[in-house]
Amino acid sequence: MTMKILLAVDGSPCALRAVDHLIGHVSWFREVPEIHLLHVQPPIPIGRALAHVGKETLHAHYMEESRAHLQEAQQKLDAAGRFHTTHIHVGQAAEVIAKMAGELACDLVVMGSHGRGGIAGLVMGSVASRVLHLAPCPVLLVK
């Protein structure tokens, strides 16, 4: 049975370190894992300004923003010969990551951690700590 890995990225340097980590440690797995690359776009608050923007325009905005955040991760995976499926979703990052991990029956979530732990992390609750709490499978955080 092939291992399924959800690789969540936000375009940040720490997310790209997680991509590099997965590429560099793929030998950990008995077989080449099935990689699902995910970017979660935060929703634009729906207000009066957006009332005049059509659904197609909003969808195009989300796609364009996500492509920019995904591009470098996709290039790294392609250069390493790692086939992957790309997913783009809109919503709260931690909740969407956990939901996708469940829907795709992933065995592992890999993501970068910005390392903003301590009191600030406890008060605000980082995406990484929310994913740890919500995910239906193990989570590998790369600093």
Side-chain angles (χ1 to χ4, degrees), residues 19-109:
V19 174
D20 290 337
H21 184 84
L22 178 58
I23 291 168
H25 293 85
V26 87
S27 63
W28 283 356
F29 309 105
R30 189 177 302 135
E31 296 173 33
V32 176
E34 182 180 309
I35 300 171
H36 292 274
L37 183 64
L38 171 66
H39 179 258
V40 181
Q41 188 67 31
I44 295 173
I46 301 297
R48 276 190 223 164
L50 282 181
H52 306 291
V53 175
K55 276 187 178 164
E56 294 80 18
T57 305
L58 191 57
H59 180 74
H61 165 78
Y62 286 136
M63 291 300 110
E64 189 178 319
E65 287 288 311
S66 287
R67 272 202 234 15
H69 290 295
L70 284 162
Q71 187 174 10
E72 206 170 337
Q74 289 173 318
Q75 288 170 345
K76 285 176 176 283
L77 289 165
D78 290 343
R82 297 293 164 215
F83 176 80
H84 57 280
T85 305
T86 301
H87 304 269
I88 295 172
H89 286 271
V90 176
Q92 300 304 315
E95 285 73 5
V96 174
I97 292 166
K99 181 174 180 257
M100 288 300 298
E103 285 180 8
L104 295 167
C106 290
D107 302 293
L108 179 67
V109 172

Side-chain angles (χ1 to χ4, degrees), residues 4 6 97-98 101-102 105-109 131-132 134-140:
K4 291 184 183 183
L6 183 64
I97 292 166
C106 290
D107 302 293
L108 179 67
V109 172
V131 172
L132 282 171
L134 297 170
C137 60
V139 178
L140 174 63

